[in-house]
Amino acid sequence: MLVFRECQPKRVFLPRVHPSRPPGASASRGGRSPVSAEGEASGTRVPEDEGVELRRTVDGKGDGVLATRPFAAGATVMVGFLIGALTGNDSHATQVGPGRWARHGGLEPKVNHSCDPNCGVRLNDGQAFDFVARQPICAGQELTFDYAMRNFTIDHFPAVCLCGAARCRGSVTGWKNLPAARKDDYGELVAPYLRTMDDETWWALRKGAGG
Ligand SMILES: [Zn+2]
């Protein structure tokens, strides 16, 4: 029997935020774009039938991305695409490899962190991350993931985590500081390079190569 837990959003949300779409922008699902302009960041190329929408919370905590239909565990909830490479880490950057960061387009940068998230990430053919349901997700439920699923270290968030999860670990930490049990919980739904960076041999080889 399927158990739907946390089916009610914990926050109260205002009506949908309608993302602006630049003239001529493609609405194709999961397509790749060579666009690198910052102005085409979040809110663009979001098809109406994507199954997710952006809403502004009334508690002043900012935006949240909600499911507009149910998703089964293991289903792809959002197809990721990159809009440009970055020269370093920042508060909206996604780590895409050891020492490499990039910016995701669409609503992905608006998905909030949780220490007990309902989504994980999976690298796709465009070297971006899809969001995958870790558990059944109901329509109206806020989508969350753990920033530690993509970033080895977290350098640009306050020390205190405000996710509100019962199992909140207290601060938004990166993969490097994630307890081993949580790493096991997340299984394959994390950036693959993170497990490579867990391997002390990899660091030794990198150091030996002068990297
Ligand atoms: Zn937390």
Side-chain angles (χ1 to χ4, degrees), residues 82 86-89 93-102 104 123 127-129 149-153 191-197 202-203 206:
L82 299 179
L86 301 171
T87 55
N89 195 7
T94 295
Q95 190 165 6
V96 291
R100 294 192 299 121
W101 290 268
H104 273 82
L123 195 65
Q127 300 303 301
F129 289 103
M149 290 169 164
R150 291 196 313 204
N151 287 42
F152 193 67
T153 60
Y193 56 80
L194 295 174
R195 297 205 182 273
T196 302
M197 293 174 80
W202 180 85
W203 286 99
R206 186 179 169 90

Side-chain angles (χ1 to χ4, degrees), residues 113 115 161 163 168-169:
H113 165 88
C115 295
C161 180
C163 79
C168 178
R169 56 184 184 270

Side-chain angles (χ1 to χ4, degrees), residues 113-116 160-165 167-172:
H113 165 88
S114 172
C115 295
D116 191 13
V160 178
C161 180
L162 302 174
C163 79
R167 59 193 299 179
C168 178
R169 56 184 184 270
S171 60
V172 184

Side-chain angles (χ1 to χ4, degrees), residues 7 11 18 22 24 47 65 80 108 112 120 138 160-161 164 169 175 196 205:
C7 282
R11 298 179 191 168
H18 290 279
V65 179
E108 281 208 10
N112 289 317
C138 305
V160 178
C161 180
R169 56 184 184 270
W175 179 262
T196 302
L205 288 171

Side-chain angles (χ1 to χ4, degrees), residues 116-133:
D116 191 13
N118 55 21
C119 290
V121 301
R122 179 180 289 146
L123 195 65
N124 66 25
D125 291 342
Q127 300 303 301
F129 289 103
D130 295 341
F131 281 9
V132 178

Side-chain angles (χ1 to χ4, degrees), residues 25-49:
S26 165
S28 63
R29 185 185 180 111
R32 272 177 275 167
S33 169
V35 173
S36 60
E38 291 286 320
E40 288 225 351
S42 59
T44 61
R45 301 176 60 236
V46 182
E48 294 299 321
D49 62 352

